[in-house]
Amino acid sequence: MTAVLSAFRRGEWRTSLDTTALPGMGSAGSAYGLALVPEIVADADHKWWQTVRADLPPLAGRRELLLAAVELFDHGSVTVGGIGEQDAEGFRAALWQTAGLPGPLVDRWCALLREGLLKRGEPRTADDRLSLVALPGNTFTCLDSVLDQAERSGAVWVRPSRREPFSAARLVAALLAVGWPPARIGLCPTDQRGLHALVRRADRQIVYGGAGLAASVRDSPTLTLHGPGRGCALVPAGMPVDEAVTWLLPLVAGDSGRFCSNVRTVICTESAQSSDLAASLAAALDALPPGPDGTDWPLTVFREPDTAHRALRSVHDRMRPGDRMLTRRDPIALVDGAPCPLPRLVLLQEYEGHPLVGHEVPFPFATVLHAAPDAVPALTAESLFVHRPAK
């Protein structure tokens, strides 16, 4: 039996004639599927929204409702269309079975969602616009954008990643459970063509994705695009190697290397420092256990084996003569029958125009390089996240 995760449209959970299989296997060996919203249906739903939005009563106390929904999302039981009643344990099991996300990482990301909501300033005045949030598959902490748009918009439609739609569906279910008006929320799984239809129809768009997706949707004047972060770290001259490794390890391996803020490039301005640091950091990365057992920095598994192998090949194929792979373990370990890419670290001989500088993959990976101080600004120019040790 296949459990098909439903879309939420026009105030109801709805099935679809168009479905796609999700990675991995559910409980008792039954596969999960995902209902898709075709482009023509998205257009019809937009017309429906245009007819109902003027008659919706004002929604007061949005911040309180969002906080209650996030608490339910983390700890409670909700009813998810196509899946049924889902408690916190069932949510974590579904994420492990389909997306390979270990429980400790799910706990941390739930906490980050709550913290982000609690740290917000005064609530903004809401308008009647339709917002779209198109989510990535690497982390569900980007649901923070859904919470933000729900607080400020007439309605928010969520386009989940096919690789990991459960978190978005659970948040929609949690919002409904705490009294969020059904007409003001939508869950719209689509293919790439359907995404472009949603981008065209929404009044505001927040889209997460890689370079290819970014190029295809960047023409919208109301779009906020979250692409690769190309995170880098600047190691000060004279910093002891052991201190540098202690500082860098969570920046590279934290959140299983899934965040755009993770460090991908380590820049040293002392030549001798770069090789010693790279060797020590590689040894620390090699010591991380595969899968969910590393409670400080657990690693994810891939329920689509081809995805794991492509990501690893993207690193090895970009290496140049003279580069050295300093992590020593086999690149993949099997965990629960699925591939777990292990951290990789490469010491670059030359960095100018190197395709590995800033390269992002969905597991811990970084390069270490030596650059003269006057070359550092050019190296960091395209990085959205430049990490420096606290003084």
Side-chain angles (χ1 to χ4, degrees):
M1 179 179 178
T2 300
V4 179
L5 185 63
S6 300
F8 190 80
R9 306 173 30 247
R10 303 194 189 193
E12 296 180 0
W13 293 104
R14 296 174 182 262
T15 58
S16 174
L17 294 177
D18 296 322
T19 62
T20 186
L22 295 181
M25 298 297 291
S27 60
S30 60
Y32 284 117
L34 176 65
L36 297 178
V37 178
E39 181 180 9
I40 189 171
V41 173
D43 287 341
D45 287 350
H46 179 259
K47 293 176 182 177
W48 170 83
W49 164 248
Q50 296 283 58
T51 65
V52 303
R53 73 162 125 191
D55 297 327
L56 291 175
L59 178 58
R62 295 190 184 210
R63 179 69 60 85
E64 290 75 16
L65 287 173
L66 293 175
L67 284 167
V70 167
E71 183 66 23
L72 197 59
F73 176 88
D74 189 357
H75 299 295
S77 293
V78 297
T79 301
V80 180
I83 303 299
E85 191 78 6
Q86 183 192 68
D87 60 14
E89 183 179 349
F91 172 52
R92 284 156 175 78
L95 289 185
W96 175 246
Q97 291 160 359
T98 60
L101 299 179
L105 206 56
V106 176
D107 293 342
R108 168 173 159 75
W109 291 354
C110 286
L112 288 176
L113 279 179
R114 185 185 302 105
E115 290 170 13
L117 196 52
L118 290 171
K119 289 178 180 177
R120 285 195 185 149
E122 290 295 319
R124 290 178 288 183
T125 302
D127 55 36
D128 68 345
R129 294 186 177 184
L130 172 63
S131 293
L132 167 71
V133 180
L135 295 166
N138 58 317
T139 170
F140 65 74
T141 57
C142 297
L143 288 171
D144 182 70
S145 289
V146 176
L147 300 173
D148 178 62
Q149 293 304 312
E151 187 169 45
R152 66 176 296 201
S153 307
V156 57
W157 289 0
V158 186
R159 191 261 191 176
S161 166
R162 187 192 71 83
R163 286 183 292 151
E164 196 287 278
F166 283 97
S167 58
R170 182 170 173 84
L171 181 60
V172 169
L175 285 166
L176 295 170
V178 300
W180 201 267
R184 293 187 181 273
I185 189 72
L187 182 72
C188 307
T190 65
D191 57 16
Q192 200 79 336
R193 185 173 177 179
L195 171 60
H196 288 87
L198 294 173
V199 168
R200 288 195 306 270
R201 295 304 186 189
D203 302 312
R204 274 192 297 263
Q205 309 89 358
I206 296 85
V207 176
Y208 293 84
L213 176 60
S216 69
V217 300
R218 69 170 67 252
D219 290 339
S220 173
T222 55
L223 180 138
T224 300
L225 184 65
H226 298 279
R230 299 174 63 89
C232 66
L234 305 181
V235 181
M239 187 177 190
V241 168
D242 57 344
E243 291 183 17
V245 170
T246 299
W247 170 57
L248 289 168
L249 185 60
L251 294 176
V252 175
D255 298 294
S256 198
R258 293 288 186 108
F259 282 12
C260 60
S261 57
N262 278 109
V263 164
R264 307 297 178 177
T265 308
V266 178
I267 303 171
C268 302
T269 55
E270 290 182 338
S271 178
Q273 182 189 42
S274 63
S275 57
D276 292 344
L277 172 59
S280 295
L281 182 57
L285 290 169
D286 273 338
L288 297 180
D293 296 328
T295 54
D296 289 331
W297 301 291
L299 301 178
T300 57
V301 304
F302 286 68
R303 298 302 182 181
E304 293 176 308
D306 288 348
T307 303
H309 290 287
R310 278 198 307 271
L312 281 164
R313 282 198 303 271
S314 76
V315 171
H316 290 268
D317 290 350
R318 285 169 169 79
M319 292 181 65
R320 292 176 172 176
D323 295 339
R324 295 167 57 199
M325 178 70 72
L326 296 186
T327 38
R328 300 301 184 189
R329 290 185 292 183
D330 289 339
I332 284 182
L334 283 181
V335 176
D336 192 29
C340 173
L342 300 178
R344 304 272 87 187
L345 186 133
V346 177
L347 178 63
L348 303 186
Q349 184 178 57
E350 300 289 341
Y351 63 83
E352 290 189 11
H354 201 298
L356 279 179
V357 174
H359 181 57
E360 293 193 3
V361 287
F363 62 87
F365 162 73
T367 62
V368 178
L369 60 89
H370 163 250
D374 59 359
V376 170
L379 278 167
T380 61
E382 295 185 6
S383 296
L384 298 181
F385 302 93
V386 180
H387 300 269
R388 296 175 173 86
K391 294 183 179 179

